Amino acid sequence: MWRDFFCDNEWLVWSWAGIIVISAGSWYQVHLDVRVNAWFGDFYDLLQKALSKDKDTHVTRQELYGYIFTFSEIAAIYILVAVFLSFFTKHWTFRWRNAMNDYYLKHWTRLRHIEGASQRVQEDTRRFAIMVEDIGATFLQSVLTLVAFLPILLQLSEQVKELPFFGEVPHALVILTLLWALFGTVGLALVGMRLPGLEFQNQLVEAAFRKELVYGEDQAERAGPDVVKELFQAVRDSYFRLYLNFMYFDVAKYSYLQFGVVVPYIALVPCISKGGITLGSMQRLVSAFNSVERSFQFLVRNWTEPLALKTEAFVHLHVARNSCSTVLASLRQSHLPRVEDSFQPFRYGQPL
């Protein structure tokens, strides 16, 4: 998969030059985010000055228009970079899919006898390209954002000397960001620990249902009404069980994300109450806190697609090794194969 794209002479220019372009573009986007963060600080300080009751302070319309024009200039550049980077990333990931497709087609005479090989070549490479485009780009953006904003947060947090309930804490907001992101990642992992197994079982019954229908296309004795009805009932039960478990996971996830909006403001209460921070500095702190927090929350926000792709691959191997009647017998006994039992028989290098 990696070697087919990054080590093949045909794709060397696209693979390595492309990843340099994507990295440079992503870094420039983060640089623009840093400029916007600095702009927020200056602009909100200007607003605080303009709205103050001190007669000695005066802000002209030209100053306000100047700041708005500066933001518009940054935003326009950001739009151009984002559009180009999105367009280029799509082409780059499709070239990666092209490289994998060429590799599989070179070995098609050996692969064509494997059940479902055509679907795996087409569907899995397509989904992999989509995952790289979405998850890969997001991961790169998260890393670069962390590199850029963590020093800013470290510098700005020097103004915050204490936290509510904890008193004086050095670099309070940096420590709070790390602990809050760790709490969310570990907490949601514990809440959703049953979801990977349920997702695997869900993919299993879907594959068994589809496989029986495929057999029914060529064999009149297969895919009878009773069998198909029972298999679809298993699909229905599996989805309803998955929806129920996702419901309590979503309660935890969205509660955590929404409460995270007010966490930096709660942390700043002692500093704000003493008048130890300006409005602009507060906005910069909150913006930097949110940027670093989102970077650390990468797994919280982007865990479903890689999990689905991995479980689907194991499911197709499992169904290829076991007949639909075996799966159906397990369903009739109200016992689906456990994830760990289904994973054990497979070893890399074994023939299908």
Side-chain angles (χ1 to χ4, degrees), residues 251-265:
V251 169
K253 176 182 176 180
Y254 291 114
S255 297
Y256 167 72
L257 293 177
Q258 289 301 312
F259 187 72
V261 175
V262 298
V263 165
Y265 294 103

Side-chain angles (χ1 to χ4, degrees), residues 4-293:
D4 303 333
F5 189 51
F6 289 95
C7 298
D8 192 316
N9 291 331
E10 182 182 355
W11 300 104
L12 283 179
V13 175
W14 262 105
S15 58
W16 292 104
I19 202 169
I20 291 173
V21 171
I22 292 172
S23 299
S26 298
W27 176 251
Y28 192 69
Q29 278 187 305
V30 173
H31 168 70
L32 293 175
D33 288 334
V34 171
R35 287 184 60 186
V36 170
N37 179 270
W39 178 88
F40 268 111
D42 295 337
F43 183 68
Y44 276 91
D45 281 341
L46 186 69
L47 291 182
Q48 185 178 28
K49 179 181 177 182
L51 297 175
S52 67
K53 297 181 180 180
D54 189 352
K55 296 181 179 180
D56 296 330
T57 61
H58 178 67
V59 176
T60 64
R61 294 183 180 182
Q62 287 72 20
E63 289 180 278
L64 292 171
Y65 285 137
Y67 273 96
I68 294 173
F69 177 79
T70 300
F71 177 82
S72 301
E73 183 182 11
I74 298 172
I77 298 174
Y78 189 96
I79 291 170
L80 292 176
V81 173
V83 170
F84 168 77
L85 191 60
S86 176
F87 176 80
F88 184 84
T89 302
K90 288 179 172 63
H91 275 272
W92 185 78
T93 54
F94 190 87
R95 262 63 177 194
W96 196 343
R97 176 187 175 184
N98 197 162
M100 290 190 296
N101 184 74
D102 290 348
Y103 174 79
Y104 289 134
L105 291 182
K106 287 178 183 177
H107 300 84
W108 182 246
T109 54
R110 295 169 54 192
L111 296 175
R112 61 190 302 270
H113 304 292
I114 301 173
E115 184 179 342
S118 58
Q119 184 180 1
R120 302 282 60 78
V121 171
Q122 182 269 327
E123 181 67 14
D124 287 356
T125 56
R126 183 188 69 84
R127 293 191 61 184
F128 175 80
I130 293 174
M131 187 183 72
V132 170
E133 181 183 339
D134 295 339
I135 307 301
T138 303
F139 176 74
L140 178 62
Q141 193 83 11
S142 297
V143 172
L144 295 178
T145 299
L146 192 63
V147 171
F149 276 94
L150 194 56
I152 295 175
L153 184 62
L154 187 65
Q155 177 186 358
L156 293 174
S157 65
E158 293 178 358
Q159 303 176 63
V160 184
K161 305 297 183 183
E162 60 178 307
L163 291 176
F165 314 113
F166 294 99
E168 293 190 7
V169 179
H171 306 299
L173 283 182
V174 176
I175 295 175
L176 178 62
T177 308
L178 295 174
L179 292 178
W180 180 247
L182 182 64
F183 168 75
T185 302
V186 175
L188 290 176
L190 293 175
V191 172
M193 63 188 306
R194 294 186 67 238
L195 292 177
L198 292 173
E199 180 67 28
F200 178 86
Q201 293 177 354
N202 190 62
Q203 296 270 4
L204 187 64
V205 294
E206 281 276 25
F209 178 59
R210 180 171 58 249
K211 184 176 181 179
E212 186 67 21
L213 291 176
V214 171
Y215 281 149
E217 292 177 354
D218 301 320
Q219 304 175 36
E221 68 275 8
R222 300 298 295 266
D226 293 338
V227 174
V228 171
K229 182 177 180 180
E230 192 168 359
L231 284 170
F232 187 76
Q233 181 64 38
V235 172
R236 180 180 184 273
D237 294 341
S238 178
Y239 269 104
F240 286 4
R241 182 167 56 248
L242 188 63
Y243 294 157
L244 180 63
N245 283 269
F246 258 111
M247 184 178 67
Y248 71 75
F249 176 79
D250 286 341
V251 169
K253 176 182 176 180
Y254 291 114
S255 297
Y256 167 72
L257 293 177
Q258 289 301 312
F259 187 72
V261 175
V262 298
V263 165
Y265 294 103
I266 295 175
L268 290 172
V269 164
C271 187
I272 295 173
S273 63
K274 294 179 182 179
I277 190 172
T278 65
L279 183 60
S281 295
M282 186 191 73
Q283 288 296 328
R284 289 196 67 191
L285 267 169
V286 172
S287 175
F289 179 93
N290 291 334
S291 296
V292 174
E293 179 193 29

